[in-house]
Amino acid sequence: EPEVTQTPSHQVTQMGQEVILRCVPISNHLYFYWYRQILGQKVEFLVSFYNNEISEKSEIFDDQFSVERPDGSNFTLKIRSTKLEDSAMYFCASSVLQGNQPQHFGDGTRLSIL
Amino acid sequence: GNSVTQMEGPVTLSEEAFLTINCTYTATGYPSLFWYVQYPGEGLQLLLKATKADDKGSNKGFEATYRKETTSFHLEKGSVQVSDSAVYFCALIRGSNYKLTFGKGTLLTVNP
């Protein structure tokens, strides 16, 4: 069964550094998402992406965050200048359509900011 | 705004016990409802879904019925197995945006 793949599985970065989290969505999917889960808290929506532009973003997704689909397969989340509170598990998801279609998730990248 | 409340864990059961994990939601109109499961070291996997009132989602012996009158979507399984040990997340999608709104998750541990 096709999967969403995320790399790396664990990223350790110094505060203030830039970090790029990578995702390869399922190949025929058109909608892409990033979520995050701070330890012990809810999974929170960050951003959705369709047709090479952001469809919606949450309050969390400030100017320090950006997303890109640099080629036909990758979908990346960049954090420009990381803060301690960015430490979390970041999940990428994709879906064929929007609406009530299921979103398929990757295994996540654990980001640790020192 | 939309929100999901699910029972606090952790839940510990013996194999073959009956499982209920409560989930209630707040949303206008008719959201679509989902249960996702996260096995240790893995990502979120869709377990089941229901898109309208009175729909029953089912998969792998798990069931949940969309109850509009009680705004609930409780997860049940008649006989749990050790392999069901995981974190279970209730979630909804509502409105013109299509972001998932999740509950906090419930850790289930099934002992042999």
Side-chain angles (χ1 to χ4, degrees):
Chain A
E1 186 176 327
E3 292 182 339
V4 175
T5 57
Q6 291 185 242
T7 54
S9 56
H10 190 191
Q11 174 81 45
V12 181
T13 302
Q14 293 289 330
M15 188 172 59
Q17 296 296 305
E18 176 183 284
V19 66
I20 297 176
L21 308 183
R22 302 181 191 279
C23 171
V24 178
I26 295 173
S27 62
N28 64 333
H29 286 191
L30 302 176
Y31 296 85
F32 314 114
Y33 313 84
W34 283 100
Y35 293 81
R36 80 171 185 191
Q37 184 181 29
I38 294 172
L39 188 64
Q41 298 186 24
K42 293 185 180 186
V43 177
E44 302 172 290
F45 169 80
L46 292 178
V47 65
S48 60
F49 191 88
Y50 169 69
N51 200 25
N52 282 321
E53 58 183 31
I54 290 173
S55 313
E56 187 185 359
K57 58 184 181 179
S58 72
E59 295 171 352
I60 303 166
F61 195 89
D62 62 21
D63 292 344
Q64 293 300 310
F65 291 86
S66 62
V67 289
E68 192 178 32
R69 188 155 164 81
D71 53 43
S73 59
N74 290 284
F75 178 52
T76 61
L77 174 69
K78 182 193 291 186
I79 309 174
R80 222 175 314 278
S81 177
T82 51
K83 303 187 281 286
L84 292 175
E85 53 265 37
D86 294 327
S87 295
M89 181 73 89
Y90 288 80
F91 292 105
C92 174
S94 67
S95 61
V96 176
L97 300 170
Q98 287 196 318
N100 58 22
Q101 297 302 308
Q103 295 176 20
H104 296 260
F105 283 77
D107 286 349
T109 293
R110 179 164 297 285
L111 178 63
S112 300
I113 307 300
L114 305 179
Chain B
N2 301 330
S3 67
V4 174
T5 303
Q6 60 182 105
M7 65 187 281
E8 295 283 332
V11 174
T12 302
L13 296 173
S14 299
E15 206 163 25
E16 299 184 1
F18 184 85
L19 169 71
T20 300
I21 300 178
N22 291 337
C23 171
T24 57
Y25 66 88
T26 301
T28 55
Y30 294 88
S32 294
L33 302 174
F34 304 83
W35 277 99
Y36 279 82
V37 58
Q38 185 178 29
Y39 298 104
E42 299 184 15
L44 297 162
Q45 298 177 26
L46 178 68
L47 182 60
L48 53 84
K49 70 172 190 176
T51 57
K52 60 184 189 295
D54 300 325
D55 265 3
K56 179 186 284 188
S58 62
N59 186 24
K60 299 181 181 179
F62 291 90
E63 293 183 340
T65 301
Y66 188 142
R67 300 286 188 203
K68 179 66 177 173
E69 63 275 14
T70 54
T71 63
S72 65
F73 193 54
H74 304 322
L75 182 69
E76 296 182 337
K77 186 175 186 182
S79 176
V80 294
Q81 305 301 311
V82 172
S83 57
D84 294 326
S85 298
V87 180
Y88 292 82
F89 294 91
C90 186
L92 67 82
I93 284 177
R94 172 68 189 118
S96 58
N97 58 70
Y98 297 105
K99 63 181 182 181
L100 281 162
T101 299
F102 285 90
K104 288 193 75 169
T106 303
L107 173 63
L108 170 66
T109 302
V110 180
N111 295 318

